Protein backbone atom coordinates (compact mmCIF):
# COMPACT_ATOMS: atom_id res chain seq x y z
CA UNK A 1 0.00 0.00 0.00
CA UNK A 2 2.87 2.32 0.91
CA UNK A 3 4.62 1.72 -2.44
CA UNK A 4 1.37 2.05 -4.32
CA UNK A 5 0.76 5.50 -2.85
CA UNK A 6 4.32 6.60 -3.65
CA UNK A 7 3.89 5.41 -7.24
CA UNK A 8 0.63 7.37 -7.56
CA UNK A 9 2.28 10.54 -6.28
CA UNK A 10 5.13 10.07 -8.79
CA UNK A 11 2.63 9.71 -11.64
CA UNK A 12 0.81 12.89 -10.55
CA UNK A 13 4.07 14.84 -10.50
CA UNK A 14 5.18 13.59 -13.91
CA UNK A 15 1.83 14.26 -15.58
CA UNK A 16 1.22 17.59 -13.88
CA UNK A 17 -2.19 16.38 -12.70
CA UNK A 18 -3.90 18.86 -10.44
CA UNK A 19 -1.79 21.81 -11.59
CA UNK A 20 -2.96 24.66 -13.77
CA UNK A 21 -1.62 24.64 -17.30
CA UNK A 22 -1.81 27.53 -19.73
CA UNK A 23 -4.23 27.24 -22.62
CA UNK A 24 -2.44 26.29 -25.84
CA UNK A 25 -1.79 28.99 -28.40
CA UNK A 26 -4.21 28.69 -31.27
CA UNK A 27 -2.37 28.64 -34.59
CA UNK A 28 -4.93 28.15 -37.36
CA UNK A 29 -3.93 27.79 -40.98
CA UNK A 30 -4.97 30.37 -43.56
CA UNK A 31 -8.69 30.24 -44.25
CA UNK A 32 -9.56 28.44 -41.02
CA UNK A 33 -12.37 29.90 -38.97
CA UNK A 34 -12.90 29.47 -35.25
CA UNK A 35 -15.34 30.73 -32.65
CA UNK A 36 -14.45 33.64 -30.39
CA UNK A 37 -15.46 33.72 -26.72
CA UNK A 38 -19.04 34.95 -26.39
CA UNK A 39 -19.18 38.72 -25.80
CA UNK A 40 -20.48 39.83 -22.46
CA UNK A 41 -23.67 41.88 -22.64
CA UNK A 42 -23.45 43.61 -19.26
CA UNK A 43 -20.45 45.63 -18.10
CA UNK A 44 -19.03 46.74 -14.79
CA UNK A 45 -19.11 50.48 -15.49
CA UNK A 46 -21.79 52.71 -16.95
CA UNK A 47 -21.95 54.19 -20.45
CA UNK A 48 -21.54 57.62 -18.86
CA UNK A 49 -18.31 56.51 -17.21
CA UNK A 50 -16.91 55.18 -20.49
CA UNK A 51 -17.71 58.50 -22.17
CA UNK A 52 -15.90 60.29 -19.36
CA UNK A 53 -12.86 57.98 -19.56
CA UNK A 54 -12.58 57.79 -23.37
CA UNK A 55 -9.23 59.13 -24.53
CA UNK A 56 -6.76 58.58 -27.37
CA UNK A 57 -3.89 56.56 -25.88
CA UNK A 58 -0.70 56.21 -27.90
CA UNK A 59 1.63 54.53 -25.40
CA UNK A 60 1.16 50.93 -24.31
CA UNK A 61 2.78 48.46 -21.95
CA UNK A 62 4.19 45.14 -23.11
CA UNK A 63 1.38 43.17 -21.44
CA UNK A 64 -0.73 40.85 -23.56
CA UNK A 65 -4.45 41.13 -24.18
CA UNK A 66 -6.75 38.20 -23.50
CA UNK A 67 -8.77 36.52 -26.21
CA UNK A 68 -11.92 37.54 -24.32
CA UNK A 69 -10.89 41.21 -24.55
CA UNK A 70 -10.19 40.89 -28.27
CA UNK A 71 -13.57 39.22 -28.72
CA UNK A 72 -15.28 42.11 -26.95
CA UNK A 73 -13.54 44.76 -29.08
CA UNK A 74 -14.48 43.04 -32.33
CA UNK A 75 -18.08 42.60 -31.19
CA UNK A 76 -18.24 46.30 -30.30
CA UNK A 77 -17.01 47.20 -33.78
CA UNK A 78 -19.35 45.04 -35.89
CA UNK A 79 -21.01 42.38 -33.76
CA UNK A 80 -24.49 41.12 -34.63
CA UNK A 81 -27.11 42.10 -32.06
CA UNK A 82 -30.42 40.87 -33.49
CA UNK A 83 -32.02 37.97 -35.34
CA UNK A 84 -32.37 40.27 -38.34
CA UNK A 85 -28.59 40.61 -38.52
CA UNK A 86 -28.39 44.19 -37.29
CA UNK A 87 -25.09 45.16 -35.75
CA UNK A 88 -23.60 47.24 -32.95
CA UNK A 89 -23.04 50.20 -35.31
CA UNK A 90 -25.77 51.72 -37.51
CA UNK A 91 -25.50 51.27 -41.26
CA UNK A 92 -27.35 53.11 -44.05
CA UNK A 93 -29.90 50.69 -45.45
CA UNK A 94 -28.43 47.95 -43.20
CA UNK A 95 -25.98 47.23 -46.03
CA UNK A 96 -22.91 46.88 -43.80
CA UNK A 97 -20.00 47.83 -46.06
CA UNK A 98 -17.35 47.52 -43.35
CA UNK A 99 -14.83 44.71 -42.96
CA UNK A 100 -12.74 44.44 -39.78
CA UNK A 101 -9.27 42.89 -39.68
CA UNK A 102 -7.19 42.06 -36.62
CA UNK A 103 -3.40 42.30 -36.62
CA UNK A 104 -2.30 40.23 -33.62
CA UNK A 105 1.04 40.71 -31.94
CA UNK A 106 0.50 39.88 -28.28
CA UNK A 107 -2.68 38.02 -27.32
CA UNK A 108 -2.82 35.16 -24.85
CA UNK A 109 -3.74 31.92 -26.59
CA UNK A 110 -3.74 33.37 -30.11
CA UNK A 111 -0.78 33.19 -32.49
CA UNK A 112 0.55 36.37 -34.05
CA UNK A 113 -0.91 36.96 -37.48
CA UNK A 114 -3.62 38.60 -39.52
CA UNK A 115 -7.24 37.62 -38.98
CA UNK A 116 -10.56 38.75 -40.41
CA UNK A 117 -13.59 39.19 -38.20
CA UNK A 118 -16.66 37.24 -39.32
CA UNK A 119 -19.72 38.79 -37.62
CA UNK A 120 -21.98 35.87 -38.54
CA UNK A 121 -21.30 33.45 -35.72
CA UNK A 122 -18.81 35.84 -34.02
CA UNK A 123 -15.75 34.15 -35.50
CA UNK A 124 -12.21 34.84 -36.64
CA UNK A 125 -10.77 33.70 -39.96
CA UNK A 126 -7.03 33.29 -40.29
CA UNK A 127 -5.55 35.22 -43.22
CA UNK A 128 -1.78 35.33 -42.73
CA UNK A 129 0.73 34.05 -40.16
CA UNK A 130 3.38 36.08 -38.37
CA UNK A 131 3.64 39.34 -36.46
CA UNK A 132 2.82 42.10 -38.96
CA UNK A 133 2.98 45.02 -36.51
CA UNK A 134 6.29 46.32 -37.82
CA UNK A 135 5.13 46.15 -41.45
CA UNK A 136 1.90 47.89 -40.49
CA UNK A 137 3.82 50.56 -38.57
CA UNK A 138 5.99 51.28 -41.60
CA UNK A 139 2.96 52.29 -43.70
CA UNK A 140 1.45 54.45 -40.94
CA UNK A 141 2.28 58.10 -40.36
CA UNK A 142 2.02 57.41 -36.60
CA UNK A 143 4.08 54.22 -36.34
CA UNK A 144 4.76 53.95 -32.60
CA UNK A 145 1.23 53.02 -31.41
CA UNK A 146 0.96 50.44 -34.18
CA UNK A 147 4.36 48.99 -33.37
CA UNK A 148 3.75 48.82 -29.61
CA UNK A 149 0.07 47.93 -29.40
CA UNK A 150 -0.85 44.35 -28.57
CA UNK A 151 -3.19 44.36 -31.58
CA UNK A 152 -4.47 46.69 -34.25
CA UNK A 153 -7.97 46.63 -35.68
CA UNK A 154 -8.09 47.74 -39.30
CA UNK A 155 -11.44 48.89 -40.66
CA UNK A 156 -11.88 48.65 -44.41
CA UNK A 157 -14.92 49.31 -46.57
CA UNK A 158 -16.51 48.00 -49.73
CA UNK A 159 -18.07 51.25 -50.95
CA UNK A 160 -20.13 49.55 -53.66
CA UNK A 161 -22.34 47.87 -51.08
CA UNK A 162 -23.68 51.30 -50.17
CA UNK A 163 -23.18 53.39 -53.31
CA UNK A 164 -25.15 50.88 -55.41
CA UNK A 165 -28.24 52.02 -53.52
CA UNK A 166 -27.38 55.60 -52.54
CA UNK A 167 -25.06 56.77 -55.31
CA UNK A 168 -22.30 59.22 -54.42
CA UNK A 169 -23.95 60.04 -51.09
CA UNK A 170 -23.19 56.48 -50.14
CA UNK A 171 -19.52 57.41 -49.76
CA UNK A 172 -20.51 59.86 -47.02
CA UNK A 173 -22.63 57.22 -45.34
CA UNK A 174 -19.75 54.74 -45.33
CA UNK A 175 -17.50 57.28 -43.62
CA UNK A 176 -20.20 58.00 -41.03
CA UNK A 177 -20.52 54.29 -40.35
CA UNK A 178 -16.77 53.94 -39.90
CA UNK A 179 -16.89 56.67 -37.27
CA UNK A 180 -19.73 54.89 -35.47
CA UNK A 181 -17.76 51.63 -35.37
CA UNK A 182 -14.56 53.32 -34.21
CA UNK A 183 -16.35 55.12 -31.38
CA UNK A 184 -17.78 51.79 -30.27
CA UNK A 185 -14.23 50.44 -30.07
CA UNK A 186 -13.14 53.49 -28.08
CA UNK A 187 -15.93 53.05 -25.55
CA UNK A 188 -15.43 49.31 -25.27
CA UNK A 189 -11.70 49.81 -24.72
CA UNK A 190 -12.47 52.32 -21.96
CA UNK A 191 -14.86 49.83 -20.34
CA UNK A 192 -12.12 47.17 -20.38
CA UNK A 193 -9.45 49.48 -19.01
CA UNK A 194 -7.54 49.38 -22.29
CA UNK A 195 -6.05 52.15 -24.39
CA UNK A 196 -6.48 52.80 -28.09
CA UNK A 197 -6.19 55.46 -30.75
CA UNK A 198 -7.66 55.81 -34.25
CA UNK A 199 -5.26 56.51 -37.10
CA UNK A 200 -6.39 57.64 -40.53
CA UNK A 201 -3.02 58.72 -41.93
CA UNK A 202 -1.30 55.90 -43.79
CA UNK A 203 -0.16 54.89 -47.26
CA UNK A 204 -3.33 53.30 -48.62
CA UNK A 205 -1.90 51.05 -51.31
CA UNK A 206 1.00 49.89 -49.16
CA UNK A 207 -1.41 49.07 -46.36
CA UNK A 208 -3.53 47.04 -48.76
CA UNK A 209 -0.40 45.15 -49.71
CA UNK A 210 0.56 44.37 -46.11
CA UNK A 211 -2.90 42.97 -45.40
CA UNK A 212 -3.49 41.42 -48.84
CA UNK A 213 -6.80 43.26 -49.04
CA UNK A 214 -9.09 42.45 -51.98
CA UNK A 215 -9.19 45.12 -54.67
CA UNK A 216 -12.71 46.23 -53.69
CA UNK A 217 -11.80 46.88 -50.04
CA UNK A 218 -10.47 50.34 -49.09
CA UNK A 219 -8.70 50.75 -45.71
CA UNK A 220 -10.07 53.63 -43.63
CA UNK A 221 -8.81 53.26 -40.06
CA UNK A 222 -6.01 51.62 -38.10
CA UNK A 223 -6.89 51.26 -34.39
CA UNK A 224 -3.98 50.10 -32.22
CA UNK A 225 -5.06 48.72 -28.83
CA UNK A 226 -3.04 47.79 -25.76
CA UNK A 227 -2.76 48.15 -22.02
CA UNK A 228 -1.84 51.73 -21.03
Amino acid sequence: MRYGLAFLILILILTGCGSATPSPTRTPVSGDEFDLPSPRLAGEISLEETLLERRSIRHFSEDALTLAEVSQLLWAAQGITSEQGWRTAPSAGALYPLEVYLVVGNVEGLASGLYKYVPDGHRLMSVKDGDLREELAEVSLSPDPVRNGAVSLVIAAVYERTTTKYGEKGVRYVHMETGHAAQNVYLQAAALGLGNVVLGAFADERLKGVLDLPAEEAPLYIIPVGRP
Side-chain angles (χ1 to χ4, degrees), residues 38-47 49-50 72 75 188 191-192:
S38 298
R40 72 183 191 191
L41 304 181
E44 298 177 357
I45 66 175
S46 69
L47 172 62
E49 288 175 288
T50 61
Q72 203 69 37
W75 178 81
Q188 184 66 79
L192 294 171

Side-chain angles (χ1 to χ4, degrees), residues 129-206:
D129 295 335
D131 191 341
L132 299 178
R133 287 180 295 177
E134 184 60 39
E135 292 180 56
L136 192 62
E138 290 176 359
V139 304
S140 171
L141 272 65
S142 297
D144 287 345
V146 179
R147 183 177 292 115
N148 299 323
V151 302
S152 282
L153 279 68
V154 178
I155 300 179
V158 181
Y159 284 99
E160 288 77 10
R161 291 180 192 165
T162 304
T163 57
T164 297
K165 180 174 182 179
Y166 295 107
E168 286 303 309
K169 280 192 175 180
V171 174
R172 181 191 308 173
Y173 300 156
V174 170
H175 294 163
M176 291 177 179
E177 185 172 339
T178 307
H180 297 319
Q183 178 71 339
N184 281 1
V185 174
Y186 257 118
L187 296 178
Q188 184 66 79
L192 294 171
L194 303 176
N196 74 298
V197 62
V198 292
L199 305 175
F202 45 78
D204 292 38
E205 291 305 315
R206 290 176 62 197

Side-chain angles (χ1 to χ4, degrees), residues 8-209:
L8 177 60
I9 292 172
L10 178 61
I11 291 296
L12 290 174
I13 292 172
L14 292 175
T15 60
C17 181
S19 63
T21 56
S23 58
T25 298
R26 183 186 292 273
T27 311
V29 299
S30 180
D32 274 1
E33 293 188 13
F34 59 92
D35 294 334
L36 286 162
S38 298
R40 72 183 191 191
L41 304 181
E44 298 177 357
I45 66 175
S46 69
L47 172 62
E48 291 79 8
E49 288 175 288
T50 61
L51 288 167
L52 181 65
E53 294 296 325
R54 187 218 62 79
R55 293 291 183 274
S56 291
I57 306 296
R58 294 174 171 81
H59 304 286
F60 308 112
S61 74
E62 296 181 357
D63 295 334
L65 299 188
T66 67
L67 191 56
E69 289 169 331
V70 168
S71 168
Q72 203 69 37
L73 292 166
L74 293 168
W75 178 81
Q78 282 289 283
I80 292 177
T81 57
S82 74
E83 293 182 358
Q84 296 91 335
W86 298 335
R87 301 186 186 179
T88 51
S91 178
L95 297 172
Y96 301 111
L98 303 186
E99 300 289 349
V100 180
Y101 291 85
L102 181 72
V103 175
V104 173
N106 192 10
V107 176
E108 295 174 1
L110 184 61
S112 297
L114 174 65
Y115 301 83
K116 187 173 186 177
Y117 180 53
V118 182
D120 187 12
H122 190 56
R123 301 167 67 80
L124 274 184
M125 180 177 72
S126 177
V127 178
K128 184 187 293 188
D129 295 335
D131 191 341
L132 299 178
R133 287 180 295 177
E134 184 60 39
E135 292 180 56
L136 192 62
E138 290 176 359
V139 304
S140 171
L141 272 65
S142 297
D144 287 345
V146 179
R147 183 177 292 115
N148 299 323
V151 302
S152 282
L153 279 68
V154 178
I155 300 179
V158 181
Y159 284 99
E160 288 77 10
R161 291 180 192 165
T162 304
T163 57
T164 297
K165 180 174 182 179
Y166 295 107
E168 286 303 309
K169 280 192 175 180
V171 174
R172 181 191 308 173
Y173 300 156
V174 170
H175 294 163
M176 291 177 179
E177 185 172 339
T178 307
H180 297 319
Q183 178 71 339
N184 281 1
V185 174
Y186 257 118
L187 296 178
Q188 184 66 79
L192 294 171
L194 303 176
N196 74 298
V197 62
V198 292
L199 305 175
F202 45 78
D204 292 38
E205 291 305 315
R206 290 176 62 197
L207 175 55
K208 291 188 68 168

